[in-house]
Amino acid sequence: MISAKRLCLSAILLLAAAMPAYAHVGIGTTSSFTAGFMHPLSGLDHTSVMIAVGLWAALKGGKAIWAWPAAFVGVMLAGGGLGMLHMPLPLVEPGILASVVALGLLVALAVDLPVSAGVAILGLFALFHGHAHGTEVPENAGGLDYMAGFAIATVLLHAIGIAAGLGLGARFRGLARAAGAACAAVGAGLAFGVL
């Protein structure tokens, strides 16, 4: 099992090493519910992270099944609000890329952390994801429709991850972990410009 100290050090190194993806600001329409709903479904980084949150919650079980996705969505919306208010947040794009790798590794290694530690980790990554999308909203649009669509799509992707994790059960736990490894590989590919 990975120690919390090693996990934090790995996340810091990934943040420092990751090159910005520039995958968010100014891309596509950001002023409607449909645009917000489609956005998490439009890129490997979004889809991978959102499903990984659900898979990790299912692997943990118990209270994490609802607490971890709820924390992610709640903090993501708060980050979106900060982005809409143009409040600066450093390392947003590297943080998003690090989230893809880190969450993939958490699933692949079936890291068993206390629920509160998972909430903290997911909250940090959700802040980056939300902030990136809040800054996309044009000044002449309220952005609430967009953020509502983004939140609902995120919840659905979390639910897919949870359903897959629970459906695979203990007998096929290795498949869920393999999906985590694939998520980490996607993150590394995005970070180093391979994907």
Side-chain angles (χ1 to χ4, degrees):
M1 179 158 56
I2 292 181
S3 70
K5 190 183 288 186
R6 249 189 184 161
L7 189 61
C8 287
L9 179 60
S10 296
I12 290 168
L13 289 173
L14 284 169
L15 281 171
M19 296 177 63
Y22 304 112
H24 296 100
V25 179
I27 304 297
T29 302
T30 57
S31 59
S32 71
F33 176 87
T34 303
F37 185 84
M38 293 307 294
H39 197 86
L41 308 174
S42 66
L44 286 173
D45 59 339
H46 300 287
T47 306
S48 298
V49 166
M50 303 317 163
I51 291 174
V53 169
L55 282 170
W56 192 36
L59 289 172
K60 173 68 175 172
K63 186 176 171 183
I65 290 175
W66 64 266
W68 288 356
F72 192 98
V73 173
V75 176
M76 180 189 69
L77 288 171
L82 293 174
M84 288 170 60
L85 294 171
H86 305 290
M87 304 219 29
L89 181 66
L91 302 171
V92 171
E93 290 296 330
I96 290 169
L97 289 172
S99 75
V100 182
V101 175
L103 286 169
L105 290 174
L106 289 167
V107 174
L109 300 172
V111 175
D112 186 13
L113 295 177
V115 173
S116 59
V119 163
I121 291 167
L122 293 171
L124 174 64
F125 291 141
L127 185 65
F128 291 132
H129 282 269
H131 190 277
H133 300 297
T135 60
E136 294 174 329
V137 177
E139 298 233 1
N140 60 352
L144 295 180
D145 288 345
Y146 177 77
M147 292 305 287
F150 188 79
I152 290 171
T154 298
V155 168
L156 291 174
L157 289 169
H158 288 337
I160 288 168
I162 292 168
L166 294 177
L168 292 171
R171 184 171 177 202
F172 298 105
R173 190 174 173 98
L175 289 175
R177 294 179 68 179
C183 177
V186 164
L190 290 170
F192 295 106
V194 177
L195 295 175

